[in-house]
Amino acid sequence: MISTMIPSEMVGRQQVQRLLGRSALYEALALMFAYPEAETLERADALLLDLAEHNVITSRGLGKYVERVGKAREGVDAARLAPVYFVLFEGSVLCSPHETEYIRDPLAKGAQLADVAGFYAAFGLKVSSAHPSTPDEIGTELEFMAHITRKEAYAVVRGWDERAAIARDAGRRFLELHLGRWAGSFAADLCGRADEAAVTRDDPPTAVWFHAVGELLQASVSADLAGLRVYPALLSTRYRDPDEGSLVCPMAAAGPQVIGEDEILVE
């Protein structure tokens, strides 16, 4: 449980609990955007169950979204979600999980990708070679936020004020320049395309879960932006070239895309 991770004698208990709650929520979201496997989904379920009564959920009005994800999970499993996931994110890419797909200027995409990678490198991280993807994949960005928030919590516990400030600033800047700009548009895109993807696999109930996860993502990131007073320049919609046909993701055969906690280089 989250509460057992913080010694009672440490100062700033509430602050650390809040940071760990935010980190756990980001981790749960990252797991839900990984390729659906039974173990991955069970880990996400456990985190959300642990967070259900946590202040980071109750104080931000996120309880109803967590509850919807839980109810949606009752009727689906990894075997049913995986084909729909493929249609959404890897096959025809009905909903791109990559930040740079929401940027119109092709010249800006490379710089944005390099900037994301630069954030990771600054904290001794890189995209997993076991599950190759690009740094701007939604699950990877969410996992970075989980990691950087844990680092801030650890620094607070240790009394390392300067390190805590560095981690806090990095998290705020990453939300401002990256995740906070496009998460809402991605979530809306996901909710708008989930039904279509589910119908192609003749399994409409799976769309309910993807809808619920998209809504939880949008609400969680919006709450974090408001709580941290971060105001990014929002990317309103994914850019699609009117002349292009269906997209086929070059990483479609790569399997799970999110960085695993045991597969990242930590400083």
Side-chain angles (χ1 to χ4, degrees), residues 79-136:
R80 291 176 62 184
L81 291 171
V84 181
Y85 180 99
F86 180 84
V87 173
L88 278 168
F89 303 130
E90 297 182 354
S92 297
V93 195
L94 294 182
C95 177
S96 176
H98 298 277
E99 176 187 343
T100 52
E101 287 297 314
Y102 293 77
I103 298 175
R104 181 178 293 270
D105 183 358
L107 297 179
K109 292 187 177 187
Q112 194 79 345
L113 201 61
D115 194 60
V116 174
F119 271 93
Y120 301 164
F123 290 90
L125 305 175
K126 66 178 182 179
V127 175
S128 169
S129 59
H131 303 304
S133 181
T134 55
D136 65 332

Side-chain angles (χ1 to χ4, degrees), residues 84 87-88 94 191-202 207 211:
V84 181
V87 173
L88 278 168
L94 294 182
C191 291
R193 295 285 185 150
D195 289 329
E196 180 182 350
V199 167
T200 66
R201 289 297 184 260
D202 194 27
H211 271 286

Side-chain angles (χ1 to χ4, degrees), residues 10-211:
M10 293 296 181
V11 298
R13 181 185 179 86
Q14 290 185 345
Q15 178 187 3
V16 174
Q17 288 289 320
R18 187 166 56 250
L19 288 167
L20 290 176
R22 289 176 54 220
S23 176
L25 181 56
Y26 275 121
E27 183 179 354
L29 286 164
L31 289 167
M32 288 186 284
F33 283 110
Y35 187 86
E37 295 181 338
E39 181 180 357
T40 302
L41 291 171
E42 288 168 4
R43 287 171 59 197
D45 293 342
L47 282 168
L48 290 183
L49 180 63
D50 194 33
L51 282 168
E53 301 301 324
H54 194 286
N55 180 261
V56 79
I57 300 297
T58 59
S59 68
R60 297 182 175 195
L62 299 178
K64 61 182 179 182
Y65 300 104
V66 171
E67 184 178 352
R68 286 174 192 169
V69 172
K71 287 184 177 179
R73 264 285 281 145
E74 293 174 2
V76 296
D77 56 21
R80 291 176 62 184
L81 291 171
V84 181
Y85 180 99
F86 180 84
V87 173
L88 278 168
F89 303 130
E90 297 182 354
S92 297
V93 195
L94 294 182
C95 177
S96 176
H98 298 277
E99 176 187 343
T100 52
E101 287 297 314
Y102 293 77
I103 298 175
R104 181 178 293 270
D105 183 358
L107 297 179
K109 292 187 177 187
Q112 194 79 345
L113 201 61
D115 194 60
V116 174
F119 271 93
Y120 301 164
F123 290 90
L125 305 175
K126 66 178 182 179
V127 175
S128 169
S129 59
H131 303 304
S133 181
T134 55
D136 65 332
E137 194 267 338
I138 184 66
T140 307
E141 292 198 5
L142 288 165
E143 191 158 357
F144 175 72
M145 283 301 301
H147 174 78
I148 200 67
T149 309
R150 282 197 300 271
K151 286 186 73 71
E152 183 183 349
Y154 183 73
V156 171
V157 169
R158 303 292 293 181
W160 298 337
D161 294 344
E162 184 176 354
R163 294 188 185 186
I166 289 172
R168 180 165 53 255
D169 183 65
R172 294 182 81 259
R173 291 286 290 167
F174 193 78
L175 282 170
E176 179 185 10
L177 299 177
H178 297 292
L179 183 61
R181 296 188 68 199
W182 72 289
S185 292
F186 166 75
D189 204 12
L190 173 59
C191 291
R193 295 285 185 150
D195 289 329
E196 180 182 350
V199 167
T200 66
R201 289 297 184 260
D202 194 27
D203 194 1
T206 57
V208 177
W209 187 82
F210 284 103
H211 271 286

